[in-house]
Amino acid sequence: TSGADAAVCWPFDGKDGPMGRPPEETCFGAKRLCSAVTGLPGENLVIAGFRDGAVLAGRIGADGDAVVKGSGGAGVMALALTPEGWLFIGCEDGLSLWLRLGG
């Protein structure tokens, strides 16, 4: 969910989807606002970009987030993650970054 201070993940499995169930959160940005979120299908991995330029990686239900990119610079406007683990980051000043997660 964009606009919160974390990646808010709603469960959509089951016949009732998220009805009556709370969301889980990861990638806590403290007082920073989340502006983009992506995940890797089949993996418990979420990447969140923030208005201050930071990018965090986290796992749903796990403690601790990893900093992918520190704050500073333009806000993150777009994120894309390929099945091979390539992360693409688009910032509001036109800067594009890419890196391979994992190894």
Side-chain angles (χ1 to χ4, degrees), residues 23-99:
E24 294 201 38
E25 295 183 352
T26 188
C27 301
F28 296 98
K31 295 182 181 183
R32 300 178 284 199
L33 289 180
C34 185
S35 54
V37 178
T38 192
L40 186 57
E43 297 291 330
N44 185 19
L45 178 66
V46 177
I47 308 289
F50 295 84
R51 296 285 306 152
D52 70 346
V55 178
L56 302 177
R59 296 193 180 277
I60 299 170
D63 290 332
D65 301 317
V67 176
V68 175
K69 177 187 173 300
S71 60
V76 176
M77 300 307 294
L79 293 170
L81 187 57
T82 70
E84 296 80 20
W86 284 97
L87 174 64
F88 296 88
I89 304 167
C91 298
E92 63 187 3
D93 65 355
L95 178 67
S96 296
L97 305 169
W98 65 95
L99 61 119

